[in-house]
Amino acid sequence: MLSIAIQHRQGDFLLDAAFDSEGGLTALFGRSGAGKTTVVNAIAGLIRLQRGRIALDGHVLTDTGSGLHVPAHRRRIGYVFQEGRLFPHLNVRQNLLYGRWFASRQLGRDHEVTRVVDLLGIDALLERRPANLSGGEKQRVAIGRALLAAPRLLIMDEPLASLDEARKSEIFPYIERLRDEIGIPIVYVSHSIPEVARLATTLVVLSAGRVAAVGPTASVMSRLDLFPLTGRAEAGAILSTTIAGRDLRFGLTMLRAGAGELRVPHVDLPLGTALRVRIRARDVMIALQRPEGLSALNILPATVAELGPNDGPIREVRLDCAGEPLLARLTARSVESLGLTPGRSVYAVIKSIAFDHHAYAGTIPVQPGADADLLGI
């Protein structure tokens, strides 16, 4: 459990934020200047708060009321920055061993390098210098070095911000493995909706130094009132699904969700694998009757749960699909002509081609000790 209650002023900026997280991967999301980096620097002990309390698993790290401030080097918090910040004169193995050496001095025990090397897929890189690594490889090594320092919590401050899309795709599965397998809570800073949708178990939305929303990622992302902060262009909902079958003739995979069955282009993962699927609002159409003679394969019964503000040509609609949220973006004219109101029964129509590689938000986190199925897309 991570518990945060912070009040801290820097010039004209006031950070006044409080939230709790049960573990997993907690994403701090917000625009530049929202206060994300100040929060993680406070957690890491890099700044002294004017007022606040920070506790991790019952260990109080900061309590201005009693004057307690545990120094950064005694907090056992790993920090991964936007750039790897590897030692350029050391090879990968030596960079990793630096983390192990630090842990040995601080904790009096050694840590297994092999497990971290395997977890992050960096065995082939051990003899290389940082200058000969790609951006994604550098970040994996930086994560490994942080893990070998035996942290109680891992902070990742926009670790993918400097990477192109190919390198991001390369590193996503490794961050998912960290989230699901190592049992160390992660605080992840990002201003990218696709990133937090794929990775986060808990989402904290910050705006102008305050917490605008906190909760499970799927719940927060389906809130229409947060669109001014999260952005309309990336609006969407997350469905929890399981790979239930194959249509080999047409190269399709069937996903079972609480909302119904979805047919998507082939996903090369075993039957029974749990996936979070992100469906963008722009990819959802609404019909009053179940359509026939339509090319779209995914048609889900739904109920209109909420209409977004009627303040322009576009309106968002939140649907309830057997308890699962789904978002649709329609023109205001369509909303009026269909007579959409909360409580009305409708059908959500989703094209199978909407399920490109951006739609898969990663594996659902498993309980500690369970095997994690990894998304390798």
Side-chain angles (χ1 to χ4, degrees):
M1 164 73 81
L2 175 64
S3 181
I4 305 289
I6 295 172
Q7 288 185 333
H8 188 76
R9 181 178 291 277
Q10 292 180 316
D12 295 333
F13 177 76
L14 174 63
L15 177 67
D16 187 356
F19 63 89
D20 294 330
S21 172
E22 295 292 338
L25 190 147
T26 300
L28 304 184
F29 174 85
R31 296 172 181 170
S32 296
K36 306 183 297 296
T37 297
T38 304
V39 170
V40 293
N41 284 343
I43 296 171
L46 300 180
I47 59 175
R48 277 187 171 269
L49 292 175
Q50 294 157 356
R51 184 178 180 185
R53 187 178 188 275
I54 300 173
L56 174 63
D57 293 333
H59 299 277
V60 179
L61 303 177
T62 296
D63 186 352
T64 57
S66 64
L68 175 64
H69 177 81
V70 177
H73 68 277
R74 292 180 51 205
R75 294 196 176 200
R76 288 180 53 196
I77 292 177
Y79 207 128
V80 179
F81 298 88
Q82 289 187 24
E83 299 82 23
R85 300 194 182 186
L86 303 177
F87 298 116
H89 62 292
L90 302 179
N91 64 23
V92 167
R93 185 191 304 275
Q94 292 163 334
N95 269 280
L96 293 173
L97 291 177
Y98 178 85
R100 189 181 68 167
W101 172 85
F102 184 80
S104 299
R105 288 192 57 184
Q106 295 298 106
L107 306 178
R109 66 173 186 241
D110 198 6
H111 282 263
E112 185 58 55
V113 176
T114 302
R115 178 170 179 261
V116 170
V117 168
D118 291 343
L119 185 74
L120 295 169
I122 53 178
D123 182 66
L125 310 178
L126 292 177
E127 304 307 320
R128 295 189 196 175
R129 294 285 180 92
N132 297 319
L133 301 178
S134 70
E137 290 169 342
K138 289 177 183 177
Q139 286 300 74
R140 281 190 276 156
V141 175
I143 293 168
R145 185 175 62 183
L147 288 176
L148 286 168
R152 289 193 298 227
L153 179 142
L154 184 63
I155 291 173
M156 306 182 77
D157 189 0
E158 301 203 50
L160 309 185
S162 62
L163 305 182
D164 59 27
E165 289 302 317
R167 300 289 80 76
K168 287 181 182 180
S169 296
E170 166 194 316
I171 201 171
F172 272 138
Y174 297 103
I175 298 177
E176 288 167 346
R177 293 191 71 178
L178 297 180
R179 178 196 66 197
D180 296 345
E181 296 185 23
I182 65 171
I184 298 174
I186 301 170
V187 175
Y188 188 99
V189 175
S190 179
H191 61 270
S192 167
I193 282 291
E195 278 183 37
V196 300
R198 175 161 184 166
L199 299 172
T201 54
T202 299
L203 180 57
V204 180
V205 179
L206 289 168
S207 176
R210 295 181 179 272
V211 175
V214 59
T217 304
S219 298
V220 173
M221 288 188 61
S222 66
R223 285 178 49 178
L224 301 185
D225 61 309
L226 294 177
F227 284 175
L229 302 178
T230 58
R232 274 185 164 180
E234 292 294 343
I238 297 175
L239 297 183
S240 299
T241 75
T242 303
I243 296 181
R246 312 276 190 204
D247 183 341
L248 298 179
R249 180 184 177 192
F250 293 105
L252 298 174
T253 295
M254 276 71 81
L255 304 179
R256 182 181 297 117
E261 187 175 87
L262 300 170
R263 289 177 173 83
V264 305
H266 176 68
V267 178
D268 190 17
L269 288 171
L271 296 180
T273 298
L275 292 178
R276 292 193 299 179
V277 178
R278 178 168 168 258
I279 300 177
R280 291 162 288 199
R282 65 174 183 256
D283 293 327
V284 178
M285 298 183 291
I286 293 179
L288 298 182
Q289 289 86 33
R290 185 177 185 87
E292 295 182 0
L294 194 68
S295 63
L297 297 178
N298 300 303
I299 301 172
L300 304 177
T303 301
V304 176
E306 182 184 2
L307 298 176
N310 187 12
D311 57 2
I314 303 298
R315 295 189 73 179
E316 276 74 29
V317 181
R318 182 167 61 86
L319 304 172
D320 183 331
C321 298
E324 295 264 19
L326 199 64
L327 301 181
R329 177 178 298 121
L330 309 178
T331 64
R333 177 177 178 176
S334 293
V335 171
E336 181 176 314
S337 63
L338 292 174
L340 299 183
T341 56
R344 178 147 196 180
S345 295
V346 295
Y347 289 88
V349 181
I350 312 162
K351 294 181 178 181
S352 291
I353 60 173
F355 295 88
D356 58 17
H357 70 282
H358 295 292
Y360 299 103
T363 52
I364 294 177
V366 296
Q367 297 300 315
D371 291 332
D373 291 308
L374 301 177
L375 180 63
I377 296 177

